[in-house]
Amino acid sequence: AQSVTQLDSHVSVSEGTPVLLRCNYSSSYSPSLFWYVQHPNKGLQLLLKYTSAATLVKGINGFEAEFKKSETSFHLTKPSAHMSDAAEYFCVVSYISGSARQLTFGSGTQLTVLP
Amino acid sequence: GAGVSQSPSNKVTEKGKDVELRCDPISGHTALYWYRQSLGQGLEFLIYFQGNSAPDKSGLPSDRFSAERTGGSVSTLTIQRTQQEDSAVYLCASSWGGRGGSSGEQFFGPGTRLTVL
């Protein structure tokens, strides 16, 4: 079975400080992992994805995530937060179910960026 | 358009009425998914279409929910006799093939916000 746990429902940082959004996964085999971002009244946008290549994955807008198999983690980081980063972030694990790739979403982390 | 589109963007209805939500996937994508996002919760898988195969309906919460996909492109999600607990954002996604290409990436539409009074 596949599952995703986002350890923080809300994270608040000051503009210009680092961002850390935590995600742990459970998968019965090597997973594909994603981070999606959802701005208010907007659709989900893919930030980055891990698909068993490099363990450190770089995404859009300066975000990156590191796949750590020993810790079953895929935390999302950014060195310096920008006001436009305020949004909800979802950690997602992808797995095969029948003929389809299914996605299991975490419950989301709401990121607030303070001026 | 280049992305997944959904209509309407917002829908307010009265309890007991039927609603139809529409999704236009990215051209060429053979896989189409419907999800529901309730307030404060993650995404809940509803139904999946792949080409001309029978859809995977395992996520539909009740027999009031149904969906169809005509011509392997546009999809309609229908909710009959709506209840207040159906209020949520309904998201559609599409991908290259049932396995989403090499990575499983799905492309999401902006969603339809359904409010049942």
Side-chain angles (χ1 to χ4, degrees):
Chain A
Q2 280 61 232
S3 66
V4 174
T5 302
Q6 290 184 244
L7 299 166
D8 306 292
S9 58
H10 290 86
V11 169
S12 184
V13 301
S14 296
E15 189 175 21
T17 64
V19 176
L20 169 63
L21 305 183
R22 297 182 295 166
C23 172
N24 285 96
Y25 69 91
S26 172
S27 178
S28 53
Y29 53 87
S30 295
S32 292
L33 292 160
F34 306 79
W35 276 98
Y36 280 84
V37 60
Q38 187 176 32
H39 290 273
N41 301 315
K42 296 280 184 69
L44 285 156
Q45 180 185 18
L46 182 69
L47 269 182
L48 50 79
K49 60 187 178 186
Y50 165 76
T51 56
S52 73
T55 56
L56 182 62
V57 181
K58 294 187 184 297
I60 62 172
N61 302 335
F63 284 93
E64 61 182 38
E66 185 171 8
F67 174 73
K68 292 187 176 180
K69 186 175 181 179
S70 61
E71 299 177 7
T72 60
S73 69
F74 190 58
H75 301 334
L76 182 70
T77 60
K78 183 174 180 177
S80 176
H82 191 273
M83 297 296 289
S84 61
D85 294 329
E88 188 153 22
Y89 292 79
F90 293 93
C91 183
V92 182
V93 63
S94 169
Y95 63 97
I96 301 293
S97 174
S99 62
R101 267 198 185 267
Q102 297 283 20
L103 300 183
T104 295
F105 281 73
S107 55
T109 299
Q110 184 68 46
L111 176 64
T112 299
V113 182
L114 304 171
Chain B
V4 178
S5 61
Q6 292 185 245
S7 61
S9 55
N10 280 283
K11 176 71 176 179
V12 180
T13 190
E14 294 179 347
K15 178 181 173 181
K17 298 287 178 104
D18 298 351
V19 295
E20 285 189 352
L21 312 179
R22 176 188 169 103
C23 171
D24 282 272
I26 291 173
S27 178
H29 281 189
T30 59
L32 186 148
Y33 302 76
W34 282 98
Y35 296 87
R36 178 169 68 176
Q37 185 177 26
S38 301
L39 187 63
Q41 299 185 22
L43 267 71
E44 173 189 5
F45 166 75
L46 296 177
I47 188 169
Y48 154 75
F49 295 90
Q50 168 54 36
N52 296 320
S53 301
D56 176 353
K57 304 179 182 179
S58 60
L60 294 179
S62 79
D63 59 7
R64 295 186 296 104
F65 287 72
S66 63
E68 62 179 24
R69 190 178 184 192
T70 54
S73 180
V74 172
S75 177
T76 303
L77 176 69
T78 301
I79 308 173
Q80 295 178 308
R81 304 181 303 281
T82 52
Q83 304 294 312
Q84 288 183 331
E85 60 263 29
D86 299 335
S87 296
V89 176
Y90 289 82
L91 290 164
C92 176
S94 68
S95 70
W96 298 105
R99 299 199 168 196
S102 62
S103 66
E105 179 180 353
Q106 296 179 14
F107 298 80
F108 285 81
T112 294
R113 182 175 298 279
L114 175 66
T115 303
V116 182
L117 302 176

